[in-house]
Amino acid sequence: IDIKEINLGPKTLSDNVLVGSLADGALSVDRFTLRSNMGGSLRGNLALRPAGDAASLSLDIAGSNLMLGMPAETAEELARLPRYELDTVLVGNGSTVRELAASLNGYLRLVGGEGRLKATALRFFTGDFLSEVMNTVNPFAKKDPYTNLQCTVVLVEIEDGEATGDPVLVTQTDRLRILADADVDLSTEKFDATIRTVPQKGLGLSVGDLVNPFVKLSGTFAKPALTLDPESALIEGGTAVATAGVSILAKRFKQRFIDDKDACGKALKDAEPRFTELRTKYSAATSPD
């Protein structure tokens, strides 16, 4: 399939190519590529093949200068969206979707730069629940029409259906630094994540200015729950009551990210050796025949 151009309003996709085959129960996408008029590109390959009574999956996708489908009503909003670099590899084997999820191995690495997001764009991209999370950890989200991002890093390692990240997310805005770690069981869809919000220095903000600087997410994909971290239950109404648990937790993250002027760069540097190892480990399994 070769599509010369797809017009999506202010954004145009060009040179869209998909090369694949379906034969003897095996689906192979040897290559797909696309490019946007804003300089973004996406490429990858996929294979789903019979393996005894089950099926094997391999997926390799990478992209640069991506906008990740964020909506923009004008050319100016489109030009100011953050751009992302994407690298993800997944391999697995199973006779059902649940078995396949439980067997997955691989990683996802997403790195974003500076940009401006409209509040409605976040709701479009994350859905109602995650928008509620963003409004909770970011006290400025409801009154500011835009969020000015400085950087975003998402780092996920998947081993035998367990997706983890420590941190799974580091993002900086002009006002806040948001840090998160997570553990997700893809076979049961259960997850547990903790989010810490830290004011940027020099803005006259303190932890007391943040209603919920420590937030905990748990439950399942179908029934997620948002609560205060038990260790910070005394932080409410803009008043912070110091506890040993909060102090220890804050100290640990301060040592790793909070004092570093480039928290995203710090997270990337720490994770790079491991993700290079994972890319080497799975490259043979995801290479097209």
Side-chain angles (χ1 to χ4, degrees), residues 13-246:
L13 303 180
S14 60
D15 300 324
N16 309 282
V17 177
L18 186 148
V19 179
S21 63
L22 180 62
D24 300 324
L27 171 65
S28 297
V29 177
D30 299 323
R31 178 172 63 94
F32 73 84
T33 61
L34 60 84
R35 293 179 176 83
S36 79
N37 60 327
M38 304 301 292
S41 63
L42 186 69
R43 66 91 188 146
N45 58 75
L46 175 149
L48 187 63
R49 299 186 176 97
D53 295 329
S56 66
L57 169 72
S58 66
L59 173 71
D60 183 348
I61 298 177
S64 62
N65 219 20
L66 299 173
M67 293 180 180
L68 297 181
M70 291 285 191
E73 297 176 3
T74 67
E76 185 213 2
E77 286 183 354
L78 184 66
R80 298 192 66 175
L81 287 175
R83 311 298 178 89
Y84 295 87
E85 307 292 318
L86 171 68
D87 181 20
T88 184
V89 169
L90 291 174
V91 296
N93 188 291
S95 57
T96 65
V97 173
R98 187 173 292 273
E99 284 184 12
L100 189 62
S103 73
L104 284 178
N105 289 278
Y107 66 89
L108 182 147
R109 181 180 180 273
L110 183 70
V111 182
E114 293 185 15
R116 188 183 73 171
L117 291 179
K118 204 171 184 179
T120 53
L122 286 174
R123 287 196 292 273
F124 174 89
F125 189 64
T126 63
D128 292 339
F129 175 71
L130 288 182
S131 293
E132 180 184 349
V133 173
M134 293 303 296
N135 287 336
T136 301
V137 301
N138 180 3
F140 309 105
K142 292 183 179 179
K143 60 182 181 181
D144 287 352
Y146 294 97
T147 297
N148 295 308
L149 287 173
Q150 296 177 344
C151 66
T152 300
V153 173
V154 177
L155 301 165
V156 183
E157 181 176 348
I158 304 170
E159 183 174 0
D160 297 330
E162 290 281 338
T164 58
D166 184 18
V168 69
L169 168 71
V170 176
T171 188
Q172 291 183 199
T173 75
D174 56 344
R175 296 186 176 187
L176 299 172
R177 185 170 300 178
I178 301 171
L179 313 169
D181 54 33
D183 190 342
V184 181
D185 188 331
L186 297 176
S187 63
T188 63
E189 299 186 355
K190 292 181 178 180
F191 68 92
D192 189 44
T194 306
I195 302 174
R196 284 89 174 177
T197 305
V198 183
Q200 292 281 48
K201 291 182 179 180
L203 296 178
L205 298 172
S206 67
V207 171
D209 294 309
L210 305 177
V211 177
N212 295 325
F214 295 83
V215 173
K216 187 175 183 65
L217 307 177
S218 59
T220 66
F221 295 158
K223 293 183 178 181
L226 170 64
T227 62
L228 275 176
D229 190 310
E231 291 176 308
S232 62
L234 296 180
I235 300 179
E236 57 183 29
T239 302
V241 179
T243 68
V246 171

